């Protein structure tokens, strides 16, 4: 990340922060208003009029401002020409659409700038909560302008986790006894933000998350002192031909290795 931090990405962060706010305002106008809904991925994933309107706003603002950047969004047909772009926007206009449609407030607009496979600027805007998370390569992670940090070693023997019952059931009994599961948060990006600001020690992520779910939150968690990795402990690479990821672990450092051990136990048992 040091080479990436050598370039000033603050202007891009300012740009995507403004765009995320405007897209959030667009989405908020549909919130709890029963927007029209369609189903994609063979009926497994909802997309609403709010998603499409927010996506249109983001595309208009960002692509006109940085025409040389590539584009990857959940709500735009993928153009593999992005693979030739060293820098691109990675966007989810509403991360947590299911929760949004249920009237839950913890959904967010997720926007990242990715350079050379890693995020260098990232924004999560949760308009229903009035929360703006930002981070830039080499800088601090901020929530509404104030620095945030992952939880420290004081809670090392207990774990407040966002994890499914299925994933937890495969972990060791002693570990399960020390886990407090939080109520399900439909937005993966927002769950990672909760790790970044210390409300959670970690989250175990099922397979089939996508670049747009992760890129902005990955950088925010990193700059808050945490780690998002695959099961081998390796950081994620973005803007590949395949944008789907396997099981992942996002956590504060003191908990990360312990969580990886539990994931390994699940595979071996």
């Amino acid at each position: 990340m040091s080479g990436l931090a050598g370039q000033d990405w603050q202007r891009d962060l300012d740009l995507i922060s403004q765009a995320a706010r405007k897209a959030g305002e667009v989405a908020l106008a549909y919130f709890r208003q029963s927007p029209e809904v369609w189903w994609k991925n063979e009926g497994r994933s909802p997309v609403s009029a709010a998603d499409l309107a927010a996506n249109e706003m983001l595309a208009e603002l960002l692509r006109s401002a940085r025409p040389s950047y590539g584009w990857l969004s959940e709500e735009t047909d993928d153009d593999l020409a992005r693979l030739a772009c060293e820098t691109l926007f990675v966007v989810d206009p509403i991360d947590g659409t299911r929760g949004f449609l249920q009237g839950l407030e913890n959904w967010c607009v997720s926007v990242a700038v990715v350079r050379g496979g890693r995020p260098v600027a990232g924004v999560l805007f949760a308009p229903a909560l009035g929360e703006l998370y930002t981070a830039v390569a080499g800088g601090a992670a901020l929530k509404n302008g104030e620095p945030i940090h992952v939880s420290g070693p004081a809670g090392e023997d207990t774990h407040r986790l966002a994890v499914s019952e299925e994933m937890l059931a495969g972990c060791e009994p002693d570990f399960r006894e020390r886990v407090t599961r939080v109520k399900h948060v439909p937005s993966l990006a927002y769950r990672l933000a909760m790790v970044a600001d210390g409300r959670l020690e970690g989250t175990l992520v099922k397979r089939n998350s996508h670049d747009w779910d992760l890129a902005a939150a990955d950088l925010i968690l990193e700059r808050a002192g945490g780690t998002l990795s695959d099961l081998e402990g390796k950081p994620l690479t973005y803007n590949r031909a395949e944008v789907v990821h396997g099981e992942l672990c996002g956590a504060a450092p003191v908990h990360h290795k312990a969580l990886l051990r539990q994931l390994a136990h699940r595979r071996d048992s």
Side-chain angles (χ1 to χ4, degrees), residues 167-262:
M167 294 187 80
L168 186 59
C171 298
E172 296 170 328
D174 179 64
F175 177 84
R176 294 200 303 267
E177 291 176 1
R178 293 182 284 116
V179 168
T180 299
R181 287 184 64 242
V182 301
K183 186 177 179 180
H184 177 61
V185 178
S187 167
L188 172 52
Y190 193 79
R191 295 204 299 271
L192 292 167
M194 292 173 70
V195 180
D197 68 17
R199 283 180 286 170
L200 299 177
E201 270 77 55
T203 183
L204 302 179
V205 182
K206 292 181 179 180
R207 62 179 65 251
N208 295 323
S209 59
H210 295 76
D211 280 13
W212 47 75
D213 303 312
L214 300 165
D218 186 345
L219 181 62
I220 291 165
L221 179 57
E222 176 196 294
R223 301 316 304 166
T227 301
L228 177 65
S229 77
D230 65 15
L231 300 193
E232 306 302 321
K234 297 177 181 178
L236 308 188
T237 300
Y238 299 97
N239 195 28
R240 306 165 302 162
E242 177 56 73
V243 300
V244 178
H245 298 266
E247 289 185 338
L248 306 172
C249 173
V254 72
H255 299 274
H256 188 253
K257 289 184 179 179
L259 294 180
L260 287 181
R261 284 198 301 272
Q262 294 306 315

Side-chain angles (χ1 to χ4, degrees), residues 26-81:
V26 169
L28 196 59
Y30 291 84
F31 187 50
R32 296 174 176 164
Q33 300 299 316
S34 300
E36 189 172 3
V37 176
W38 302 269
W39 292 86
K40 56 186 181 180
N41 300 328
E42 299 180 349
R44 296 191 303 270
S45 181
V47 57
S48 74
D51 296 85
L52 301 181
N55 189 67
E56 184 177 353
M57 172 65 75
L58 289 168
E60 177 183 339
L61 294 174
L62 297 176
R63 303 185 85 172
S64 61
R66 301 285 190 274
S68 65
Y69 285 16
W71 179 262
L72 175 63
S73 169
E74 180 176 12
E75 308 306 346
T76 304
D77 290 340
D78 192 10
D79 181 357
L80 290 179

